[in-house]
Amino acid sequence: MAEFATSTAPADVVRRQYLASATGDLEALRATLAPDVEWTEMAGFPLAGTYRTPDGVTAGVMEKLGQAWDGWTAHDDTYVVDGENVVVLARYTATNKETGKPIDVRVAHHFVVRAGRIVRFEQFVDTALVRDAMTV
């Protein structure tokens, strides 16, 4: 396990990011992100836009998801790795705090990892399913 925790292999870095997110460990999550990270949430997603810096990502995305959803988790299922590119097929599960509606939505995430840090992230998700869960 110690090797996984310190590995700079792109898939290992991405996996650490998912584990940190799932446990709410924002410090560990920030440690996987490059200082100049560009993190893009898909157009149509409630948090759509590009966030920069590790603090910008955790404050603008992770903390806001925790405020709006109970149990927000990205379940990483399948990894496809090509050099510094890591595509993860995953799903989001959570329950919206305002409506009480659950989601279980398939997603794809594209990461670019350089020098052991995530430098770019792009999300692909059915935003209509997420928004439906947010509508009373």
Side-chain angles (χ1 to χ4, degrees), residues 10-75:
D12 290 341
V13 173
V14 170
R15 179 70 178 137
R16 282 197 305 274
Q17 178 274 149
Y18 281 108
L19 291 170
S21 178
T23 61
D25 187 345
L26 298 184
E27 183 177 336
L29 191 145
R30 283 190 290 272
T32 66
L33 304 176
D36 59 346
V37 65
E38 291 184 358
W39 186 281
T40 302
E41 298 287 313
M42 189 170 169
F45 191 72
L47 302 173
T50 299
Y51 301 83
R52 291 175 173 79
T53 77
D55 288 334
V57 171
T58 55
V61 179
M62 306 310 168
E63 290 177 10
K64 290 188 188 272
L65 289 171
Q67 292 166 2
W69 300 87
D70 281 324
W72 182 275
T73 305
H75 305 270

Side-chain angles (χ1 to χ4, degrees), residues 52-120:
R52 291 175 173 79
T53 77
D55 288 334
V57 171
T58 55
V61 179
M62 306 310 168
E63 290 177 10
K64 290 188 188 272
L65 289 171
Q67 292 166 2
W69 300 87
D70 281 324
W72 182 275
T73 305
H75 305 270
D76 51 328
D77 299 327
T78 303
Y79 284 64
V80 179
V81 181
D82 182 19
E84 64 185 16
N85 292 284
V86 180
V87 174
V88 180
L89 304 179
R91 62 188 172 84
Y92 294 148
T93 59
T95 301
N96 186 267
K97 289 182 179 181
E98 186 175 330
T99 66
K101 294 180 184 177
I103 59 167
D104 189 341
V105 182
R106 294 292 294 162
V107 299
H109 293 156
H110 174 223
F111 296 86
V112 178
V113 179
R114 289 188 190 124
R117 299 282 178 97
I118 297 165
V119 297
R120 195 165 33 247

